[in-house]
Amino acid sequence: MHRGAQYGAERNRHCLSRAARSTDAVSLRQLKIGYFVIEALNSIAATFYLYYLFFLARDEFGFGNRGNLFLTALHGGVYLVASWLGGKFAQRHGYFTALRLGFSGMLVALVVGWLFPGVVGQVLALALLTAPICLTWPTLEALVAEGEDFRGTARMVGIYNVVWAGSAAVAYSLGGWWWERLGRAGLYGIPFAIVLAQLGLTLWLERAAARLPKAAPHAPPSHQPEDAARRQSVPPQRFLQMAWIANPFAYVAINTVGAIIPQLAERFQLSATQSGVFCSLWFYVRLVAFIVLWQWTGWHYRFRWLLAAFLGLIAGFATLVLASHLWMVITAQVIFGVATGLIYYSSLFYSMDVGDTKGEHGGLHEAAIGAGVCGGPLLGAVALSLVPAVPQAGAYAVTGLLAIGLAGLLRVRFRRAD
């Protein structure tokens, strides 16, 4: 093992596996609750800033679908690289170190965005915020699952998904109201206050973890995937690979939709507040899907569920972006929410259930998200640039990309064993 990785793993085990073996149940419960509180705050701040930055770009700089898609692609490109590095950093240097650096960097980025209101300043702030936030998500994913057996992992991942998805749904549905009343001041002020609170809570949790009673040092047991993984014809690592293929394509669709929602709102004559409420339906459907998938584990290590979700993703996306009636948008959001919920849940669950390096696996899970955030919007923006006379060119191109992803998923599933 690399010396830095060994040192980081020792630091993480020093703070966390101690807690898992401690008889002080209240202290351990407080730590876990604290991690989930940080996660909820992170989801609120990120969702509001990232989705309503598109409204700022539309209202102040005249960005249409193409401009907002390019903006999303920039965010995704930084996210792709930074998430992978962020997961490795957390695994090697310690989870609390990664959180402290991540939240401090986010505060700096928000200050830059507030002080430099031009286009360049906004683009710079987006890139500067994206990099440090990638230190936080892989770390939080690893923190909630560290030291758990397969039952505990399933339970922790379930709670994790419900917390961030519920917080994101609330932030998006309220975000339009915040934007209309507070504008730029709210876009930067609300996330700044939230991130500052996160940093303070992180420092408190770090001190609390250090005060837990020390247990006799011994190597933690190797984590084994749950029993359902051993009853399938393909190894659990294959399911992890398939989920890591499917999840980026889910984010291809999610972030293409997010970038064009301001124009979708104009098409149906919706204000920012109305758009926030109406277009948040799929957020809440995804939340319900997470709750169901958490309580019902029959989908674990079963390919047909992942395949059905991918087919629903393509159908939901195409209908949503090309819809000509509001009832079609509603129907598409229901399908889209269920599909993205199962695909994301699969990626995170398999990342935590297959193997012991949760920090690095969390980073790869997030890096796969970054690939989708970048690739789909970039393709859509390029298509609109090449065929400006066809307003739906971006939607057609991204739908085609999703079809390619489906072919890749099938190829991995039916590939012969190495």
Side-chain angles (χ1 to χ4, degrees):
M1 181 184 291
H2 188 278
R3 184 180 298 273
Q6 183 179 9
Y7 172 69
E10 289 174 353
R11 288 192 63 181
N12 291 333
R13 286 196 295 269
H14 179 70
C15 290
L16 298 170
S17 64
R18 262 190 338 197
R21 297 189 299 270
S22 170
T23 58
D24 188 354
V26 174
S27 294
L28 176 58
R29 186 160 59 247
Q30 287 175 343
L31 283 176
K32 292 285 185 177
I33 291 173
Y35 303 148
F36 287 125
V37 171
I38 291 177
E39 177 205 355
L41 293 173
N42 217 36
S43 183
I44 291 171
T47 299
F48 175 54
Y49 173 76
L50 293 172
Y51 278 93
Y52 285 91
L53 180 64
F54 299 131
F55 282 86
L56 182 147
R58 182 196 69 178
D59 296 345
E60 296 193 10
F61 309 125
F63 278 28
N65 284 344
R66 185 177 63 175
N68 277 337
L69 286 168
F70 274 125
L71 202 60
T72 306
L74 168 67
H75 165 62
V78 177
Y79 201 99
L80 167 62
V81 177
S83 290
W84 179 66
L85 296 176
K88 293 173 74 68
F89 182 93
Q91 195 72 43
R92 294 181 179 183
H93 299 286
Y95 297 144
F96 289 110
T97 299
L99 288 179
R100 282 189 272 108
L101 288 176
F103 295 137
S104 298
M106 291 168 67
L107 290 173
V108 172
L110 291 167
V111 170
V112 169
W114 173 253
L115 293 179
F116 299 95
V119 174
V120 174
Q122 302 308 295
V123 172
L124 180 61
L126 176 62
L128 290 176
L129 185 135
T130 300
I133 205 173
C134 293
L135 285 168
T136 66
W137 287 123
T139 303
L140 291 169
E141 290 159 5
L143 277 170
V144 301
E146 191 76 21
E148 302 283 347
D149 60 14
F150 73 87
R151 291 185 181 87
T153 295
R155 180 167 54 90
M156 288 295 117
V157 171
I159 297 172
Y160 179 90
N161 283 338
V162 170
V163 168
W164 79 255
S167 302
V170 171
Y172 190 85
S173 56
L174 292 178
W177 188 86
W178 291 343
W179 167 251
E180 286 194 335
R181 282 151 184 78
L182 301 174
R184 178 188 295 272
L187 186 66
Y188 286 99
I190 291 175
F192 185 91
I194 291 174
V195 175
L196 192 62
Q198 288 177 281
L199 180 58
L201 182 55
T202 296
L203 297 175
W204 182 86
L205 289 171
E206 186 174 15
R207 290 193 297 269
R211 290 195 299 267
L212 287 174
K214 293 183 179 180
H218 66 273
S222 178
H223 177 88
Q224 296 296 324
E226 64 175 56
D227 293 341
R230 293 187 285 274
R231 295 196 294 266
Q232 305 305 315
S233 59
V234 296
Q237 289 77 11
R238 185 79 63 86
F239 281 92
L240 177 60
Q241 293 169 2
M242 290 188 292
W244 278 354
I245 289 173
N247 203 38
F249 285 97
Y251 274 83
V252 163
I254 288 170
N255 285 273
T256 301
V257 168
I260 68 174
I261 276 180
Q263 299 301 314
L264 186 70
E266 283 192 351
R267 186 195 313 169
F268 292 107
Q269 299 181 333
L270 301 175
S271 67
T273 299
Q274 292 170 333
S275 173
V277 174
F278 182 75
C279 295
S280 66
L281 174 60
W282 77 267
F283 283 82
Y284 287 101
V285 173
R286 180 176 62 182
L287 171 60
V288 173
F290 281 162
I291 295 172
V292 172
L293 296 170
W294 170 26
Q295 298 299 316
W296 175 68
T297 60
W299 59 273
H300 288 185
Y301 296 101
R302 287 171 173 81
F303 175 69
R304 62 180 178 270
W305 288 102
L306 187 60
L307 176 61
F310 209 110
L311 292 171
L313 176 74
I314 297 175
F317 170 80
T319 304
L320 181 57
V321 297
L322 299 173
S324 55
H325 301 284
L326 285 176
W327 69 266
M328 296 175 66
V329 176
I330 293 173
T331 303
Q333 285 192 76
V334 173
I335 299 171
F336 194 70
V338 173
T340 54
L342 196 149
I343 290 173
Y344 178 91
Y345 209 133
S346 297
S347 178
L348 183 54
F349 173 76
Y350 296 138
S351 293
M352 297 296 104
D353 198 51
V354 181
D356 295 309
T357 54
K358 293 177 173 57
E360 291 195 28
H361 272 193
L364 291 171
H365 161 79
E366 294 293 332
I369 290 175
V373 175
C374 177
L378 180 61
L379 176 64
V382 170
L384 286 172
S385 299
L386 295 176
V387 195
V390 181
Q392 295 82 19
Y396 295 148
V398 173
T399 302
L401 181 62
L402 295 178
I404 293 173
L406 176 61
L409 182 72
L410 293 170
R411 183 177 184 275
V412 172
R413 168 58 182 85
F414 296 106
R415 184 182 64 202
R416 292 185 178 180
D418 297 329

